[in-house]
Amino acid sequence: MEMLRTATARYQDHALAVLHFTVARPMLPLLRAVGHRPAAEPDPLAGPFAPELLLSDVAEVRAGSGTFALARPYTIAFLTPEAHHTPALRPDPTAGLSPSADQWLWQLASRSTSADFPLAPEIAADEFRHAVRISADWSALVLRHGAAFLGHRADTGDGDFYEFGALHARTVYLDALLLGSLQRDHIEELTDELSEVFDGARLARRVAALERKIAHFRSTYWRQHLTAHGPANELLLAFQAQHRLPVRFAEILAEAADNSRIVQTQESQQISGALGVLTILGLPLGSALGILQVLGDESVAHLLIALALSVAATAAGLSTRYGRLVISSLRGGIG
């Protein structure tokens, strides 16, 4: 999984751990237990199989406590039916799937049964429409907290096509979902930083730093195509759609652009205010010195009188509406 190793190495602030379990018992009860559904079995990721124990010599497992932290691990199920699992099977390669197959797929991806979360008939068609038909033999469905791969013909055992399918599910298709997870985490961090950009001083510096982070994310991780073609791209797009990542990133770009305009406006006000102060200070003083030079007056007393009159004229100028506007512009630019 070269893509996974590269993405994990370059994403310095995050680490992703993939735990692979092969189970011989029914899968849906196990998924319900992972999801902590009511009356479910004990959590299989507890005790000796707890991630913090399994990965103790490899990585530090951080508890999800942030605003957008997932309450439970993201699960990816791969189920190959047997001959008696007719609700999931396709009658023949040219026939359409029964709605019951998509119901199985949705239950595996959502880690729930109809008793846990009854899917409303009015939205069921929309949910099933997002299923990725990899081929006539199997399909995939990506939801917010889990994904599932379901076969549509009976598993014949060793040497079956499903060995090839499982390899793809654990490599390039898993990479697509992991890349989507990285994108989701980074977008949530950018959203948090945007909400705090006006807290404290030095707005221009914080906006510039945030713009650099956005540019780095867009050039490094914001990909909507994992391969040149194929289901991996559809899985990545499905993950992004479930978390509204394109819309949220567009909102981040728009808000960052607004903040940048605010900073530019403040800097323009500061420059205009500075020029205004130089004008108010320099015009009376320059005029007084110019008059003395034309008259050829070299008296120190007259020079001091000219300076005093210049200071008085400057104070009078600053007390006018234009002067107050200049001072206000300077304050706004500094703030």
Side-chain angles (χ1 to χ4, degrees):
M1 288 188 290
E2 187 63 31
M3 172 64 187
L4 172 60
R5 288 198 295 269
T6 303
T8 304
R10 296 181 65 182
Y11 201 74
Q12 297 178 356
D13 297 331
H14 291 76
L16 294 175
V18 180
L19 303 181
H20 172 238
F21 293 94
T22 301
V23 296
R25 56 181 175 145
M27 183 174 292
L28 187 55
L30 179 67
L31 293 173
R32 291 184 70 249
V34 172
H36 285 189
R37 296 295 183 180
E41 299 178 2
D43 188 355
L45 298 180
F49 293 105
E52 54 269 18
L53 294 180
L54 292 176
L55 302 174
S56 59
D57 298 331
V58 179
E60 176 186 355
V61 179
R62 298 179 181 178
S65 57
T67 305
F68 299 97
L70 294 178
R72 301 298 304 149
Y74 193 92
T75 56
I76 302 174
F78 182 84
L79 177 62
T80 59
E82 298 181 357
H84 63 278
H85 294 141
T86 54
L89 300 178
R90 192 185 294 272
D92 62 74
T94 60
L97 273 177
S98 169
S100 59
D102 282 337
Q103 291 175 0
W104 275 38
L105 190 60
W106 186 84
Q107 290 181 2
L108 291 171
S110 65
R111 306 182 304 211
S112 64
T113 63
S114 56
D116 298 324
F117 187 88
L119 190 61
E122 293 82 3
I123 65 172
D126 292 333
E127 291 285 343
F128 299 155
R129 189 179 298 119
H130 296 297
V132 179
R133 307 302 178 188
I134 301 175
S135 71
D137 291 331
W138 60 320
S139 300
L141 181 64
V142 179
L143 298 180
R144 286 184 58 83
H145 297 290
F149 296 89
L150 177 64
H152 299 310
R153 65 176 176 84
D155 189 346
T156 59
D158 294 340
D160 189 88
F161 155 80
Y162 287 126
E163 290 186 359
F164 171 79
L167 176 63
H168 272 60
R170 295 166 185 165
T171 53
V172 64
Y173 298 159
L174 175 61
D175 288 344
L177 299 175
L178 292 178
L179 178 58
S181 299
L182 292 174
Q183 293 173 347
R184 177 202 61 206
D185 292 345
H186 219 313
I187 284 178
E188 288 169 354
E189 287 186 355
L190 291 174
T191 302
D192 286 342
E193 293 187 25
L194 269 174
S195 65
E196 301 171 355
V197 73
F198 289 101
D199 297 342
R202 299 183 177 179
L203 175 62
R205 181 176 298 181
R206 291 198 306 278
V207 169
L210 183 59
E211 287 179 335
R212 285 194 295 270
K213 289 183 179 180
I214 293 174
H216 178 263
F217 166 71
R218 182 163 52 183
S219 64
T220 306
Y221 301 108
W222 186 240
R223 297 288 181 265
Q224 295 183 292
H225 300 283
L226 189 65
T227 60
H229 56 81
N233 296 332
E234 298 181 51
L235 294 173
L236 177 59
L237 292 175
F239 187 95
Q240 292 176 346
Q242 283 292 325
H243 295 270
R244 299 180 63 252
L245 297 187
V247 175
R248 292 168 61 187
F249 188 50
E251 292 174 351
I252 288 175
L253 292 176
E255 189 171 349
D258 291 340
N259 295 340
S260 180
R261 283 193 293 270
I262 292 174
V263 171
Q264 291 175 2
T265 301
Q266 289 185 349
E267 290 177 345
S268 298
Q269 290 177 348
Q270 185 179 13
I271 293 173
S272 299
L275 293 175
V277 169
L278 291 176
T279 300
I280 295 175
L281 290 175
L283 182 60
L285 180 59
S287 299
L289 294 178
I291 292 173
L292 291 177
Q293 185 177 10
V294 169
L295 296 176
D297 191 345
E298 298 181 357
S299 172
V300 176
H302 291 171
L303 178 61
L304 293 176
I305 293 172
L307 291 176
L309 292 175
S310 299
V311 171
T314 300
L318 292 175
S319 65
T320 63
R321 182 176 180 276
Y322 175 75
R324 292 193 299 269
L325 181 61
V326 168
I327 295 175
S328 176
S329 298
L330 276 175
R331 290 175 177 173
I334 294 173

